[in-house]
Amino acid sequence: MIIPSIDLMDGKAVQLERGRKKILERDAEEMIKEFSLARELQVIDLDAAMKKGSNEAIVAEICGKANVRFGGGVNTVAKAEKIISYGAGKVIIGSMAEKEFLKELCAAVGNEKIVVALDSENGEIVKDAWKTKTGKGVEEKIAELEDYCGEFFFTFVENEGTMKGIDIQRAIALKKLTKNRVVVAGGIRNVEEIDGLDSNGIDCVVGMALYTGKIEMPKIDFEKGNGLVPVITQDFETDEVLMLAYMNRQSFLETMKSGFATYWSRSRKELWKKGATSGNVQKVVEVKYDCDADTLLLKVEQKGVACHTGMKSCFFKKWRY
């Protein structure tokens, strides 16, 4: 899965090479619109991380529009709780990623909302906006902190912002060291690398390749159908077609955020989470879209049955002629 990145500096979305040299600057609002359909959006306040200011007003705005994972200057429990109150789903802890602080933070927000960032340069963990070398390796910190977060985020600093390619084998080796979700960043340049990571259960944060157009985020044409797109829902294991429903932008975002199929009810004019009352929920495994970007295909793990009649699939009637 691609997680687009918006790094904020002086109110702008920027990209830095190896965390030092600014090589690209874009309008933050433009980036928010471009990445609005992403399942997750990573937002880093570089000014706060470097102790040079804050972009908190913009962060609060973004949190109201997307499923945000936020990092940058989160050095107190109060700051983490404040960011989550804006609507952020997760907070990223870097320089403060030590056991005692994380214990306190877990008690306040839950470990599922905590992402531990282990940024490394040539295998050595760096902190304080990548300016300070710690002399510690990534592997020992994984074992120490695994129980105090729901996810590890590894940035390979030596490649960050360069689009020289990410070390997939290194990412796989790190994945084998933890039961937690693993997300990586640093030098990603094409979809083949993303697919290579994805096939090993590793998600990635992408910045420069998206900003320069080397990789494009998918777009869905909601306007063609007056705000709605048809959705074909299919059993992930058997490929059986289960049902057809509709989504608008809001229900699609809720589906991406929750991981469970949420549609738009045309009759009731409201969001409709499949299985909310019956328990027959659909856990989304894969999302595809057609060549015109106006129809979606969901592959799901269906709990129970899909049809209100009690049948597994809504398509059980055979046309005879």
Side-chain angles (χ1 to χ4, degrees), residues 138-158:
V138 172
E139 291 77 6
E140 60 184 289
K141 295 298 286 185
I142 292 174
E144 179 185 346
L145 303 178
E146 183 177 52
D147 293 335
Y148 306 101
C149 64
E151 175 185 326
F152 284 110
F153 173 44
F154 302 105
T155 299
F156 305 150
V157 175
E158 62 270 20

Side-chain angles (χ1 to χ4, degrees), residues 27-312:
D27 180 74
E29 281 291 333
E30 179 185 329
M31 292 295 93
I32 296 168
K33 290 178 182 177
E34 186 170 334
F35 302 149
S36 64
L37 293 181
R39 185 169 181 173
E40 287 182 90
L41 177 61
Q42 180 156 300
V43 178
I44 304 294
D45 188 340
L46 293 177
D47 290 323
M50 297 176 182
K51 301 178 182 178
K52 294 182 178 179
S54 172
N55 294 277
E56 192 168 320
I58 298 173
V59 171
E61 179 185 352
I62 299 174
C63 286
K65 297 179 178 179
N67 183 26
V68 169
R69 40 193 287 131
F70 172 82
V74 183
N75 51 20
T76 66
V77 171
K79 176 68 178 288
E81 290 178 321
K82 188 176 185 182
I83 294 299
I84 289 173
S85 75
Y86 291 149
K90 298 175 183 177
V91 288
I92 302 169
I93 309 299
S95 297
M96 292 294 294
E98 299 295 340
K99 187 181 292 187
E100 291 309 312
F101 176 71
L102 292 175
K103 279 183 179 179
E104 186 181 356
L105 189 57
C106 280
V109 304
N111 67 346
E112 73 281 356
K113 293 182 181 293
I114 300 172
V115 178
V116 166
L118 296 178
D119 304 334
S120 65
E121 191 163 10
N122 299 313
E124 181 180 355
I125 293 176
V126 290
K127 63 179 185 178
D128 301 325
W130 302 343
K131 294 178 181 178
T132 304
K133 293 185 177 182
T134 65
K136 295 181 179 180
V138 172
E139 291 77 6
E140 60 184 289
K141 295 298 286 185
I142 292 174
E144 179 185 346
L145 303 178
E146 183 177 52
D147 293 335
Y148 306 101
C149 64
E151 175 185 326
F152 284 110
F153 173 44
F154 302 105
T155 299
F156 305 150
V157 175
E158 62 270 20
N159 290 333
E160 178 65 15
T162 67
M163 286 196 298
K164 291 181 178 179
I166 194 161
D167 189 338
I168 295 178
Q169 293 308 311
R170 184 178 171 199
I172 293 171
L174 291 172
K175 171 70 175 175
K176 291 178 179 178
L177 296 177
T178 178
K179 66 181 185 298
N180 293 359
R181 181 191 186 194
V182 167
V183 177
V184 298
I188 291 173
R189 60 188 169 186
N190 54 46
V191 294
E192 287 75 20
E193 290 181 339
I194 294 168
D195 289 342
L197 292 166
D198 187 63
S199 65
N200 286 281
I202 303 168
D203 297 322
C204 59
V205 170
V206 183
M208 181 61 76
L210 286 171
Y211 282 46
T212 59
K214 298 293 183 181
I215 297 173
E216 293 186 356
M217 284 296 293
K219 295 177 173 60
I220 301 172
D221 189 353
F222 288 102
E223 302 308 315
K224 186 183 291 186
N226 295 317
L228 297 177
V229 295
V231 182
I232 301 163
T233 305
Q234 191 175 26
D235 187 287
F236 177 71
E237 292 185 351
T238 66
D239 285 337
E240 181 180 13
V241 175
L242 300 175
M243 56 182 283
L244 182 141
Y246 290 84
M247 283 185 181
N248 60 6
R249 179 179 290 271
Q250 184 183 3
S251 62
F252 178 81
L253 288 172
E254 180 59 31
T255 297
M256 294 296 97
K257 183 176 181 179
S258 69
F260 290 88
T262 302
Y263 305 100
W264 178 256
S265 171
R266 293 175 298 166
S267 59
R268 300 191 302 272
K269 308 297 183 186
E270 63 183 16
L271 292 183
W272 161 44
K273 179 183 176 181
K274 177 65 178 175
T277 55
S278 67
N280 295 327
V281 296
Q282 296 173 340
K283 184 178 180 181
V284 178
V285 178
E286 187 174 58
V287 180
K288 293 186 176 183
Y289 58 104
D290 73 340
C291 55
D292 296 320
D294 60 4
T295 303
L296 292 171
L297 173 66
L298 295 190
K299 291 199 169 187
V300 304
E301 292 178 358
Q302 175 70 58
K303 182 177 180 180
V305 299
C307 186
H308 72 283
T309 64
M311 300 296 289
K312 174 70 180 293

